[in-house]
Amino acid sequence: DLLGRAPARLDRATIDRFIKGKRILITGSAGSVGSELARQVAGLQPELLLLVDQSENSLFYLESEVRSSSPAVHLEAQIVDVTDLAEVNWLMSQYHPQIVLHAAAHKHVHFMERAPSRAVKNNVGGTYNMARCAMTYDVETFVLVSTDKAVKPTGVMGVTKRLCERLVQEMDGQGSTR
Protein backbone atom coordinates (compact mmCIF):
# COMPACT_ATOMS: atom_id res chain seq x y z
CA ASP A 1 0.00 0.00 0.00
CA LEU A 2 2.78 2.40 0.86
CA LEU A 3 4.53 1.79 -2.44
CA GLY A 4 1.37 2.28 -4.46
CA ARG A 5 1.75 -0.92 -6.44
CA ALA A 6 0.44 -4.45 -6.41
CA PRO A 7 2.40 -6.96 -4.30
CA ALA A 8 4.77 -9.26 -6.15
CA ARG A 9 3.47 -12.79 -6.51
CA LEU A 10 6.08 -15.53 -6.44
CA ASP A 11 5.68 -18.63 -8.58
CA ARG A 12 6.41 -20.97 -5.69
CA ALA A 13 6.22 -24.16 -7.79
CA THR A 14 8.90 -22.91 -10.20
CA ILE A 15 11.15 -21.79 -7.34
CA ASP A 16 10.71 -25.17 -5.61
CA ARG A 17 11.69 -27.02 -8.81
CA PHE A 18 14.71 -24.72 -9.26
CA ILE A 19 16.11 -25.42 -5.76
CA LYS A 20 14.79 -28.78 -4.52
CA GLY A 21 17.37 -31.56 -4.58
CA LYS A 22 20.16 -29.32 -5.91
CA ARG A 23 23.55 -28.30 -4.54
CA ILE A 24 23.25 -24.55 -3.90
CA LEU A 25 26.21 -22.27 -3.19
CA ILE A 26 25.52 -18.79 -1.80
CA THR A 27 28.43 -16.33 -1.74
CA GLY A 28 28.25 -13.42 0.65
CA SER A 29 25.88 -15.62 2.61
CA ALA A 30 26.53 -13.85 5.91
CA GLY A 31 25.55 -10.44 4.53
CA SER A 32 22.09 -8.91 4.60
CA VAL A 33 21.00 -10.21 1.17
CA GLY A 34 22.93 -13.49 1.26
CA SER A 35 21.63 -14.46 4.70
CA GLU A 36 18.03 -13.95 3.62
CA LEU A 37 18.70 -16.06 0.52
CA ALA A 38 20.16 -18.74 2.80
CA ARG A 39 17.08 -18.72 5.05
CA GLN A 40 14.73 -19.00 2.08
CA VAL A 41 16.74 -21.69 0.25
CA ALA A 42 17.04 -23.78 3.44
CA GLY A 43 13.27 -24.20 3.44
CA LEU A 44 13.19 -25.50 -0.15
CA GLN A 45 14.92 -28.86 0.42
CA PRO A 46 18.22 -28.44 -1.40
CA GLU A 47 20.51 -31.46 -1.54
CA LEU A 48 23.25 -29.24 -0.13
CA LEU A 49 23.27 -25.64 1.05
CA LEU A 50 26.80 -24.27 0.92
CA LEU A 51 27.20 -20.98 2.78
CA VAL A 52 30.30 -19.00 1.78
CA ASP A 53 31.58 -15.75 3.23
CA GLN A 54 34.83 -14.12 4.29
CA SER A 55 33.36 -12.90 7.59
CA GLU A 56 34.01 -15.58 10.19
CA ASN A 57 31.74 -14.28 12.96
CA SER A 58 28.78 -13.51 10.73
CA LEU A 59 29.06 -16.88 9.00
CA PHE A 60 29.27 -18.66 12.36
CA TYR A 61 26.02 -17.05 13.54
CA LEU A 62 24.23 -17.70 10.24
CA GLU A 63 25.32 -21.33 10.22
CA SER A 64 24.00 -21.75 13.78
CA GLU A 65 20.71 -20.08 12.89
CA VAL A 66 20.10 -22.17 9.76
CA ARG A 67 21.08 -25.43 11.50
CA SER A 68 18.61 -24.59 14.27
CA SER A 69 15.72 -23.55 12.03
CA SER A 70 16.27 -26.17 9.29
CA PRO A 71 17.91 -29.21 10.95
CA ALA A 72 17.14 -31.54 8.03
CA VAL A 73 19.18 -29.47 5.55
CA HIS A 74 22.63 -30.75 4.61
CA LEU A 75 24.58 -27.59 5.36
CA GLU A 76 28.23 -26.69 4.88
CA ALA A 77 29.81 -23.34 5.71
CA GLN A 78 33.18 -22.25 4.34
CA ILE A 79 35.31 -19.15 4.84
CA VAL A 80 36.31 -18.19 1.30
CA ASP A 81 37.45 -14.92 -0.25
CA VAL A 82 35.89 -14.75 -3.72
CA THR A 83 38.78 -12.57 -4.90
CA ASP A 84 41.18 -15.49 -4.35
CA LEU A 85 40.95 -17.63 -7.48
CA ALA A 86 42.72 -20.60 -5.85
CA GLU A 87 40.19 -20.63 -3.00
CA VAL A 88 37.27 -20.41 -5.43
CA ASN A 89 38.68 -23.25 -7.55
CA TRP A 90 39.10 -25.39 -4.43
CA LEU A 91 35.53 -24.63 -3.35
CA MET A 92 34.05 -25.56 -6.72
CA SER A 93 36.14 -28.73 -7.04
CA GLN A 94 35.13 -29.90 -3.54
CA TYR A 95 31.38 -29.24 -3.73
CA HIS A 96 30.42 -29.12 -7.43
CA PRO A 97 27.43 -26.81 -6.93
CA GLN A 98 24.66 -26.85 -9.49
CA ILE A 99 23.44 -23.34 -8.71
CA VAL A 100 25.50 -20.36 -7.55
CA LEU A 101 23.73 -17.38 -6.01
CA HIS A 102 26.49 -14.76 -6.01
CA ALA A 103 25.64 -12.11 -3.43
CA ALA A 104 29.20 -11.38 -2.23
CA ALA A 105 29.95 -7.69 -2.74
CA HIS A 106 30.93 -4.52 -1.01
CA LYS A 107 27.63 -2.63 -0.94
CA HIS A 108 28.09 0.38 1.35
CA VAL A 109 28.22 3.36 -0.98
CA HIS A 110 30.14 5.74 1.27
CA PHE A 111 32.90 3.19 1.98
CA MET A 112 33.28 2.38 -1.71
CA GLU A 113 33.64 6.06 -2.58
CA ARG A 114 36.57 6.18 -0.16
CA ALA A 115 38.09 2.88 -1.30
CA PRO A 116 37.31 2.44 -5.02
CA SER A 117 40.09 -0.10 -5.57
CA ARG A 118 38.51 -2.37 -2.93
CA ALA A 119 35.15 -2.09 -4.69
CA VAL A 120 36.68 -3.06 -8.02
CA LYS A 121 38.73 -5.91 -6.53
CA ASN A 122 35.88 -7.41 -4.53
CA ASN A 123 32.86 -6.71 -6.70
CA VAL A 124 34.28 -7.06 -10.20
CA GLY A 125 37.21 -9.39 -9.44
CA GLY A 126 35.14 -11.61 -7.17
CA THR A 127 32.32 -11.83 -9.71
CA TYR A 128 34.78 -12.68 -12.48
CA ASN A 129 36.36 -15.45 -10.37
CA MET A 130 32.99 -16.92 -9.42
CA ALA A 131 31.56 -16.77 -12.96
CA ARG A 132 34.75 -18.15 -14.54
CA CYS A 133 34.85 -21.06 -12.09
CA ALA A 134 31.14 -21.66 -12.56
CA MET A 135 31.84 -22.19 -16.25
CA THR A 136 34.92 -24.33 -15.57
CA TYR A 137 33.02 -26.62 -13.19
CA ASP A 138 29.83 -26.79 -15.31
CA VAL A 139 27.55 -25.08 -12.81
CA GLU A 140 24.03 -25.18 -14.28
CA THR A 141 22.97 -21.67 -13.28
CA PHE A 142 24.91 -18.64 -12.04
CA VAL A 143 22.81 -15.83 -10.56
CA LEU A 144 24.41 -12.45 -9.95
CA VAL A 145 22.69 -10.48 -7.20
CA SER A 146 22.97 -6.87 -8.30
CA THR A 147 21.45 -3.56 -7.26
CA ASP A 148 19.21 -0.82 -8.58
CA LYS A 149 22.26 1.45 -8.29
CA ALA A 150 23.70 -0.32 -11.35
CA VAL A 151 20.93 0.94 -13.64
CA LYS A 152 22.25 4.50 -13.93
CA PRO A 153 25.36 4.41 -11.78
CA THR A 154 26.48 7.66 -10.21
CA GLY A 155 29.08 6.27 -7.82
CA VAL A 156 31.80 3.68 -7.51
CA MET A 157 29.60 0.95 -6.03
CA GLY A 158 26.97 1.30 -8.75
CA VAL A 159 29.62 1.35 -11.48
CA THR A 160 31.26 -1.82 -10.17
CA LYS A 161 27.92 -3.64 -9.99
CA ARG A 162 27.08 -2.47 -13.54
CA LEU A 163 30.44 -3.85 -14.68
CA CYS A 164 29.55 -7.13 -12.97
CA GLU A 165 26.26 -7.26 -14.87
CA ARG A 166 28.01 -6.64 -18.19
CA LEU A 167 30.68 -9.21 -17.36
CA VAL A 168 28.13 -11.91 -16.60
CA GLN A 169 26.10 -11.02 -19.70
CA GLU A 170 29.21 -11.34 -21.86
CA MET A 171 30.13 -14.69 -20.33
CA ASP A 172 26.62 -16.10 -20.79
CA GLY A 173 26.53 -18.55 -23.68
CA GLN A 174 30.30 -19.22 -23.67
CA GLY A 175 29.81 -22.55 -21.93
CA SER A 176 27.07 -24.74 -20.54
CA THR A 177 26.48 -22.47 -17.50
CA ARG A 178 23.39 -20.30 -17.80
Side-chain angles (χ1 to χ4, degrees), residues 7-23:
R9 302 268 185 241
L10 296 178
D11 181 351
R12 190 65 187 206
T14 299
I15 295 169
D16 286 346
R17 282 191 306 275
F18 182 64
I19 299 293
K20 187 175 183 176
K22 302 256 178 93
R23 294 179 308 279

Side-chain angles (χ1 to χ4, degrees), residues 59-108:
L59 186 59
F60 172 81
Y61 290 117
L62 177 64
E63 179 185 21
S64 297
E65 175 190 338
V66 174
R67 285 192 191 285
S68 176
S69 64
S70 302
V73 172
H74 178 201
L75 177 70
E76 294 283 337
Q78 291 289 339
I79 306 278
V80 172
D81 180 349
V82 296
T83 68
D84 186 322
L85 185 57
E87 287 185 28
V88 174
N89 267 305
W90 173 85
L91 182 73
M92 294 292 203
S93 70
Q94 289 299 305
Y95 293 99
H96 298 283
Q98 293 165 283
I99 298 170
V100 172
L101 304 177
H102 179 55
H106 288 318
K107 298 178 179 88
H108 294 281

